[in-house]
Amino acid sequence: SNPTAPLQTVSLNGVFSNCGDWLSISGNASVTMTPGSLPGGIYTTGTNGAGSPAGGNHWLAAASGAQLLIQGGVIEGSQTGNPTGNTGVLLVGPGGALTLDGVTLRNWVEPAIFATQGVVTMRNATLLDHVGEPGNANGCALVTGDRGSSLTMDHSTLSNVPGQGLCVKPTTIGTTHEPIQLTQCTITLVAGAAITGNLGGQIGPAIVSDGLTLTQNGWGIFWRGGNGTSFDLRNSTITGSTAAGSGAGVFVDLQGTTLSFKLRSSTVGGNAADGLLFSQFTNGTVDLGTSADPGANTFTGNATTALHVDALGGLATLNAVGNIWTASQQGADANGRYSVPPNFTPVPKTGAAAGVNYKIENAVSTLNL
């Protein structure tokens, strides 16, 4: 494509296709798809067979510089084809842009969207449901990350995934922390983690949420490493996670990176193991509330402990001031508070401890509650 050429605009109204790779959008093209008079608004039924979407190819690709807007309608799979690993039903190339506006994409045995260097927006009750490769615990429903990428989920839902939900890749060139914005969204019934990344010492994203619900997943968040990764979660709910091992609600292993995690006005409860587990955060920051900016979070009803601090060999201080915990346990008052309004003076906890509200191990750590 020629980046200086005029943008070409194309409209596809009421187009049905059961062919794999049926449409590739090149650069300098802006395409809008609408279901028109298609029965049930269904663009494809994903019938099985060689060359069909369920037979092993992506259904549609937006290449570098291309823009694709799908407004309404259903992208229906069959769940009978050959899994395709990381091909994706919708493939977004480097510099490409995909917007799903009120779209349902369901019943596919591969990732719904693969866009490691693309710009993806999901909005207005977009639903990704029953997507991912059955039997593949490491398979993903939605893949983002790496240079030039961004993901915006606004009033959208991801549900019923046999592997991992939102998989985030590191930035391999450059230092930009690619943005992920999650607003009034739900990720639910994911066998693995609703949100996951294993980035090591590479560059991580900037994840911001407001009104995010992570419920009935294996883990709400399962995260390792990623220099500069930042989580800023507000008004969010992390409940019903079923993993019995490390974490459950939130597991974050900072691995000595500069990762930061901030949580405000949220609920973490009813998880099968720890509500939150933070490990190896000597160089990172975990902020669950301070006197100047109280957390206003609720951490109750988790099966083992609400907050598990495992600094694993390094000095660490974790602030979790101004929250609600299980009442009358481990020094919490009858209202479930350690620090109380209006001043929220921190109550430091150090040394080995284990109970329903907090657990400290493997380091000389200070936990301010």
Side-chain angles (χ1 to χ4, degrees), residues 84-148:
T84 61
N86 281 332
T87 299
V89 180
L90 303 177
L91 177 64
V92 186
L98 168 69
T99 299
L100 302 182
D101 189 329
V103 175
T104 295
L105 189 156
R106 64 192 180 202
N107 299 327
W108 292 83
V109 294
E110 59 183 290
I113 301 171
F114 190 84
T116 56
Q117 295 180 49
V119 175
V120 175
T121 301
M122 298 165 52
R123 65 195 187 199
N124 293 336
T126 287
L127 170 66
L128 308 182
D129 183 60
H130 283 96
V131 291
E133 182 180 347
N136 182 0
N138 295 316
C140 301
L142 176 56
V143 185
T144 187
D146 210 346
R147 57 195 183 278

Side-chain angles (χ1 to χ4, degrees), residues 47-111:
T47 56
N48 193 21
S52 74
N57 295 306
H58 53 261
W59 183 62
L60 186 154
S64 176
Q67 301 175 20
L68 171 62
L69 167 62
I70 304 179
Q71 291 184 306
V74 180
I75 303 172
E76 182 79 56
S78 67
Q79 293 194 312
T80 59
N82 300 316
T84 61
N86 281 332
T87 299
V89 180
L90 303 177
L91 177 64
V92 186
L98 168 69
T99 299
L100 302 182
D101 189 329
V103 175
T104 295
L105 189 156
R106 64 192 180 202
N107 299 327
W108 292 83
V109 294
E110 59 183 290

